[in-house]
Each structure stands twice: as C-alpha cells, then as structure tokens.
Amino acid sequence: MERHLWMRLGVGLRITEAEETVIFANDGMAEELLRKIIAEGRFMPDGDTYIPETTVEEYNREHGTAYETGDIEFNL
C-alpha cells in the first residue's frame, strides 16, 4: 500500500521571454501559465526542498508512526 507524503519541492522552470513577462507581471495570469508549464513538463528539481515539521506531525498522526519531528531539508 502506498502512502501520501507532502513536501515542498524547489524546481527550475524552462520558460520563454513572453512567459517571463506574464509570470513577473503579477496580474493574475501567472498561475494559469505556471500550471501549463508544469503540465508540459518544463521543469526540473533544483534548489531548496523540504518536508515541514507540521507535515511530519500530521503524517505520524495519520499513519500511527513516531518519526522525529523537525523540518527535513535538502537542496537538489
């Protein structure tokens, strides 16, 4: 049986100059474009990545485990 574990994953995006303009314009259009870029697979793991302490606590409650709590951090 698989279990679900949430983590914040740092990624780098491959974007065009036009996409760059939309992303940094911060006018509400960026979210849709970012979803499209991710769906197209134009990203790669890169950078600050971690599982927050609160996620470990929640995981322990949900699965009856007793893993040590604290942020689990690393760079990709």
Side-chain angles (χ1 to χ4, degrees):
M1 179 169 93
E2 290 184 357
R3 295 182 177 188
H4 178 264
L5 175 62
W6 185 89
M7 69 183 297
R8 186 169 304 275
L9 179 64
V11 298
L13 303 174
R14 292 184 304 275
I15 61 174
T16 65
E17 285 186 42
E19 291 168 335
E20 170 188 300
T21 301
V22 172
I23 291 167
F24 289 112
N26 198 21
D27 63 3
M29 303 280 296
E31 182 178 344
E32 182 179 335
L33 175 59
L34 289 168
R35 289 180 184 278
K36 177 181 180 280
I37 291 166
I38 291 167
E40 292 174 355
R42 294 190 287 138
F43 67 94
M44 58 282 189
D46 175 29
D48 186 27
T49 299
Y50 65 98
I51 302 169
E53 178 177 359
T54 56
T55 299
V56 178
E57 292 168 348
E58 182 179 312
Y59 190 90
N60 283 335
R61 281 192 303 276
E62 186 175 323
H63 297 286
T65 55
Y67 294 112
E68 186 175 327
T69 59
D71 290 349
I72 300 169
E73 302 179 48
F74 58 96
N75 276 312
L76 296 173

